[in-house]
Amino acid sequence: MKIDLTDTTSSKINKALVQGRRAVGTPAVGMVLTLVVVTDEENAYDALKAANDASREHPSRTLVVIKRVSRSPRDRAQTRLDAEVRVGADAGNGETVVLRLYGEVTDHAQSVVLPLLLPDAPVVVWWPVNAPLDPAKDPLGALAQRRVTDSYAAERPIHELTARSEAYTPGDTDLAWTRITPWRSMLAAALDQVVCDVTSVEVEGEEFNPSVELLGMWLADRLSVPVRRSLSSGPGLTAVRMETSSGPIVLDRADGSLANLAIHGQPDRAVALKRRDTAELIAEELRRLDPDDTYEATLRFGVDRLDDGEAEGASPRPGTSDAAPSAASTAEKKAAAPAVARKAPARKAAAK
């Protein structure tokens, strides 16, 4: 069931939600959280579909906030709120309100959203695109216990990781991090099968993919070994190669679906490692609403500490300088390298 409201208020939207529930015969509210999706008109359909699919696992009230840009000064002076209320089969396993904000109200979206939040339920804010540099200080982000961004959708994905590290607040997370959960699980399981010390790692994937960088940072932080980043044509992550005292361990996924796990001294195995859609990623993030300490440690490790294995003459990563490093920065890197090498390899730390 859909109810369209033009030039409305939050109070009228709440009344429409109650009327809609009664009309479809579900007056009880069984939702466990409020998911606020902040997007633009171009990406609203895909984001709403993903949120509705995720609500089948996590029944929620989904509030889609779309800030409409007015073309003329006269239109920008006219403040208006339009809403589309969906209940029943049209809203997955919950309720959906699509909010379109015009004029000055676009700068005060939190005052529209606040009366529509479920009482005594956690709030998650998700920016599919155009996330603020500091989600916790955003007026909508300040309402949430968990703030979800996607650095892959940013114009400069690798530069975005640095910005996320500088502005990190407990409760922040990134779908680029969520995408590597199966890789982290598979690599940790592989290391648990052999008694060895990891000496070096190579992570291979497409250029400008933040998930590839995050996996390299996680391995470098957990194993305290040098990690080399190399390029491939994708899709996404394509391979991780670990040199160990017992021989190489290789996890290779060339087609984005089926991977091959090769451990020295053991038969090769085919493992399912498909690329997941956005609905699966959001559903995973909604399973835990506490701060992700592993993500924080990985993010703070820093992209610049990875060994960039790009070919000579390749364009530099976004957020890096074209100029040659200064003598001071080179000295700092040389001083830091032995400190990393001196740490004892933590084989089972990757499982944490």
Side-chain angles (χ1 to χ4, degrees), residues 181-191 251 261 271-273:
T181 299
W183 284 83
R184 294 192 294 125
S185 300
M186 195 67 64
L187 292 170
L191 287 174
L251 182 59
L261 177 61
V271 294
L273 205 62

Side-chain angles (χ1 to χ4, degrees), residues 101-174:
L101 285 61
Y102 301 81
E104 293 182 1
V105 74
T106 59
D107 297 327
H108 305 280
Q110 72 279 9
S111 32
V112 176
V113 169
L114 187 59
L116 301 176
L117 301 178
L118 290 172
D120 302 323
V123 179
V124 178
V125 178
W126 170 36
W127 291 271
V129 293
N130 301 325
L133 288 178
D134 192 343
K137 292 185 178 179
D138 182 83
L140 286 172
L143 301 175
Q145 287 78 39
R146 196 68 182 246
R147 294 162 295 277
V148 184
T149 59
D150 190 354
S151 56
Y152 187 76
E155 185 177 353
R156 303 171 68 194
I158 311 307
H159 178 79
E160 194 79 4
L161 291 179
T162 303
R164 292 278 167 262
S165 175
E166 293 173 351
Y168 178 83
T169 301
D172 292 353
T173 191
D174 191 334

Side-chain angles (χ1 to χ4, degrees), residues 40-325:
D40 53 22
E41 199 70 64
E42 179 183 358
N43 297 280
Y45 176 82
D46 292 336
L48 183 55
K49 184 178 184 303
N52 284 345
D53 291 344
S55 72
R56 303 186 188 282
E57 181 178 340
H58 308 277
S60 59
R61 173 176 289 179
T62 302
L63 306 177
V64 182
V65 179
I66 304 173
K67 299 179 181 181
R68 297 296 298 266
V69 178
S70 302
R71 296 182 179 179
S72 67
R74 182 180 303 170
D75 291 337
R76 287 194 290 270
Q78 296 176 352
T79 298
R80 192 173 90 243
L81 170 63
D82 294 343
E84 180 182 324
V85 178
R86 304 181 184 183
V87 292
D90 293 315
N93 193 10
E95 300 172 342
T96 299
V97 181
V98 181
L99 303 166
R100 289 183 171 86
L101 285 61
Y102 301 81
E104 293 182 1
V105 74
T106 59
D107 297 327
H108 305 280
Q110 72 279 9
S111 32
V112 176
V113 169
L114 187 59
L116 301 176
L117 301 178
L118 290 172
D120 302 323
V123 179
V124 178
V125 178
W126 170 36
W127 291 271
V129 293
N130 301 325
L133 288 178
D134 192 343
K137 292 185 178 179
D138 182 83
L140 286 172
L143 301 175
Q145 287 78 39
R146 196 68 182 246
R147 294 162 295 277
V148 184
T149 59
D150 190 354
S151 56
Y152 187 76
E155 185 177 353
R156 303 171 68 194
I158 311 307
H159 178 79
E160 194 79 4
L161 291 179
T162 303
R164 292 278 167 262
S165 175
E166 293 173 351
Y168 178 83
T169 301
D172 292 353
T173 191
D174 191 334
L175 292 187
W177 171 254
T178 316
R179 290 185 180 95
I180 64 173
T181 299
W183 284 83
R184 294 192 294 125
S185 300
M186 195 67 64
L187 292 170
L191 287 174
D192 279 340
Q193 297 179 37
V194 292
V195 178
C196 65
D197 291 333
V198 180
T199 57
S200 67
V201 178
E202 179 184 359
V203 179
E204 179 187 272
E206 63 184 1
E207 192 174 10
F208 307 138
N209 189 314
S211 295
V212 182
E213 309 290 343
L214 283 168
L215 184 60
M217 291 153 63
W218 174 72
L219 288 167
D221 178 59
R222 289 292 170 176
L223 298 174
S224 298
V225 297
V227 174
R228 181 174 181 268
R229 163 78 161 89
S230 59
L231 299 181
S232 72
S233 58
L237 271 159
T238 51
V240 174
R241 303 176 182 91
M242 296 187 288
E243 294 296 331
T244 76
S245 56
S246 299
I249 297 176
V250 179
L251 182 59
D252 192 333
R253 186 189 67 178
D255 61 356
S257 176
L258 192 66
N260 181 72
L261 177 61
I263 301 176
H264 182 73
Q266 300 183 17
D268 291 359
R269 281 162 283 182
V271 294
L273 205 62
K274 74 179 184 70
R275 305 189 74 193
R276 298 179 294 169
D277 60 27
T278 307
E280 292 178 274
L281 301 176
I282 288 295
E284 178 183 328
E285 283 301 330
L286 296 181
R287 289 182 198 131
R288 55 172 300 174
L289 300 178
D290 57 316
D292 191 338
D293 296 333
T294 306
Y295 168 66
E296 178 185 2
T298 299
L299 197 61
R300 295 195 186 282
F301 182 85
V303 180
D304 57 337
R305 295 178 63 185
L306 296 180
D307 176 18
D308 190 354
E310 294 178 356
E312 184 178 353
S315 59
R317 296 176 182 172
T320 61
S321 172
D322 296 337

